[in-house]
Amino acid sequence: STQSNGGSWQVNKIFLRNGVNASIKDVLGWNSPFRNTTTMSKDGIQLIIQEHREVDQMAERVLNAGVGMKDEKRRFFNQIVHDLSQHAVIEEMILYPLLRERVVGEGGPLAEHSLEEHQEVKNKLNELDNMDIEDPAFNMKFRSLMESLHHHVFEEENKILPALKAKMSPQELNEFYDSWMARKALAPTHPHPAAPNKPPMNTLGGPALKAVDAMRDMGRDFPEKI
């Protein structure tokens, strides 16, 4: 069994999913069905939610890593840096522009608010990315990152994604899924807080940043499975 540093980590213990209270353990089992994309319909909005859950899943592994589990902790943190960095940039490339276009009136302010929250997350993730994982302050700063992230995700899943999905056809959700997956070839895998966060500059600059990040990732270990 896994020893924990200071007990089992708990995020905002209750997630509000479609108006129903659910324990985080109900949605974040390690063998999460969210990872099984072969059985998931190509719904781009559901894909975003899936990726939110995967980060939470890995965060539990980071914060519950016991004494002598430094390497495992580092591998899962490396994966969080990779996945969360890409997720944020792809949202900025395609989700928020679509929100502005489709959700008339409220879409613009919601997008701007989300960009502000992304900046906070990027700043915190960047600081952690440059820390020693054995630094006594690491877990505290990581918890702060996750608190900021959960606040953002809660708003996104309860305001932005439902409002946008209501304006999209099944075909458009399918196309959005494909567009999201295609952007993974362009999106950086580390946080770049000073980089542009709106098209077209973030789209144009993405490949160059990704190339730099790929060099950094060559020296990093990642989990064998998520």
Side-chain angles (χ1 to χ4, degrees):
S1 62
T2 300
Q3 287 182 297
S4 66
N5 293 332
S8 177
W9 175 63
Q10 297 184 354
V11 298
N12 303 339
K13 181 66 178 176
I14 300 299
F15 268 95
L16 188 65
R17 300 181 67 223
N18 299 322
V20 178
N21 286 333
S23 153
I24 188 169
K25 290 296 184 183
D26 292 335
V27 295
L28 297 186
W30 182 240
N31 296 317
S32 171
F34 286 106
R35 175 53 80 174
N36 186 1
T37 55
T38 59
T39 61
M40 188 182 75
S41 63
K42 290 173 64 175
D43 178 334
I45 299 300
Q46 183 61 30
L47 177 61
I48 292 173
I49 295 171
Q50 167 196 339
E51 293 192 358
H52 292 164
R53 298 295 179 266
E54 289 173 359
V55 170
D56 267 321
Q57 202 172 4
M58 292 185 288
E60 287 207 356
R61 297 296 289 258
V62 169
L63 282 171
N64 287 334
V67 176
M69 299 177 68
K70 175 183 68 173
D71 291 342
E72 177 177 318
K73 182 175 183 177
R74 168 54 71 180
R75 285 193 294 270
F76 280 99
F77 177 69
N78 288 345
Q79 193 70 51
I80 288 173
V81 171
H82 179 285
D83 292 0
L84 187 55
S85 297
Q86 285 208 317
H87 182 93
V89 171
I90 297 172
E91 284 191 338
E92 292 164 4
M93 285 179 173
I94 62 174
L95 177 66
Y96 298 148
L98 187 62
L99 177 68
R100 294 175 191 275
E101 175 189 324
R102 294 295 180 90
V103 183
V104 178
E106 193 178 11
L110 284 173
E112 287 300 318
H113 180 63
S114 292
L115 289 174
E116 292 172 3
E117 292 181 337
H118 271 205
Q119 191 64 43
E120 179 181 344
V121 168
K122 288 178 188 178
N123 289 340
K124 291 182 177 182
L125 185 62
N126 187 58
E127 182 180 7
L128 284 161
D129 197 21
N130 290 287
M131 283 182 72
D132 186 329
I133 206 161
E134 293 188 284
D135 189 309
F138 182 89
N139 277 16
M140 179 187 69
K141 290 180 179 293
F142 187 80
R143 290 176 188 273
S144 176
L145 165 70
M146 295 307 297
E147 287 172 3
S148 297
L149 184 61
H150 289 144
H151 173 81
H152 170 69
V153 165
F154 183 85
E155 290 186 348
E156 189 164 276
E157 292 188 7
N158 287 276
K159 293 181 181 178
I160 291 174
L161 299 184
L164 191 54
K165 190 166 186 175
K167 303 289 187 179
M168 299 174 72
S169 68
Q171 180 179 345
E172 288 172 328
L173 289 169
N174 186 303
E175 292 170 352
F176 184 82
Y177 179 104
D178 289 340
S179 181
W180 182 282
M181 297 303 293
R183 293 307 190 284
K184 289 183 182 288
L186 305 173
T189 58
H190 288 264
H192 296 275
N197 60 8
K198 294 179 182 178
M201 296 308 296
N202 60 353
T203 303
L204 293 172
L209 293 175
K210 183 178 175 66
V212 172
D213 292 347
M215 297 297 292
R216 293 180 66 184
D217 289 340
M218 285 179 65
R220 293 194 166 194
D221 293 325
F222 297 87
E224 292 184 5
K225 70 172 186 175
I226 303 301

